[in-house]
Amino acid sequence: QVQLVESGGGSVQAGGSLTLSCLVSGYDYITRLGWFRQSPGKEREGVAALYTHNDLPGYADSVKGRFTLSHDRAKNTLDLQMNSLKPDDTGIYYCAASPYYAGDFLSPSAYDHWWGQGTQVTVSS
């Protein structure tokens, strides 16, 4: 049974930092993990993701150089360090997992199995 529990959201001013953490259980079924976000009036989009066989992260262009994804296997967490936050980063951030390899690992459509409940990130100008 896969379970994903997010934590670490909050409110910050532009330029600030936050770290999101996703506690992961059920690794036997998971091939890839990612963070996604949904901003008001926008479709859900990929932020950062990795395949669990190599833990090499990929990032959306909008967050490259500002966000860092890491997989802490000792703690069973997928962590997203977010620096230089902008108001456009505001949204609900979700952790997701998939048992497959096919598809774009940064696309929400490639994660149709397991999602966390989401955590709110608000960046004010």
Side-chain angles (χ1 to χ4, degrees):
Q1 181 72 19
V2 174
Q3 290 189 322
L4 307 170
V5 181
E6 302 103 334
S7 61
S11 297
V12 296
Q13 290 191 327
S17 298
L18 282 174
T19 299
L20 306 182
S21 188
C22 175
L23 181 62
V24 182
S25 61
Y27 272 104
D28 287 348
Y29 306 98
I30 296 171
T31 60
R32 56 192 174 195
L33 290 163
W35 280 98
F36 300 81
R37 68 186 180 192
Q38 188 157 17
S39 304
K42 296 183 179 179
E43 292 186 355
R44 192 170 297 188
E45 62 177 351
V47 176
L50 54 78
Y51 284 102
T52 56
H53 72 273
N54 61 19
D55 283 349
L56 291 178
Y59 300 93
D61 288 343
S62 59
V63 306
K64 281 181 182 176
R66 301 188 297 122
F67 291 11
T68 302
L69 184 68
S70 59
H71 189 192
D72 189 330
R73 290 180 178 270
K75 297 180 181 178
N76 289 344
T77 60
L78 183 73
D79 302 316
L80 185 67
Q81 173 67 44
M82 306 186 294
N83 298 326
S84 302
L85 282 161
K86 304 175 182 179
D88 283 350
D89 295 317
T90 294
I92 301 174
Y93 283 68
Y94 299 90
C95 178
S98 168
Y100 303 124
Y101 288 97
D104 178 0
F105 77 151
L106 277 172
S107 172
S109 64
Y111 295 77
D112 57 356
H113 275 66
W114 304 294
W115 288 82
Q117 81 285 355
T119 185
Q120 176 71 43
V121 171
T122 303
V123 185
S124 58
S125 58

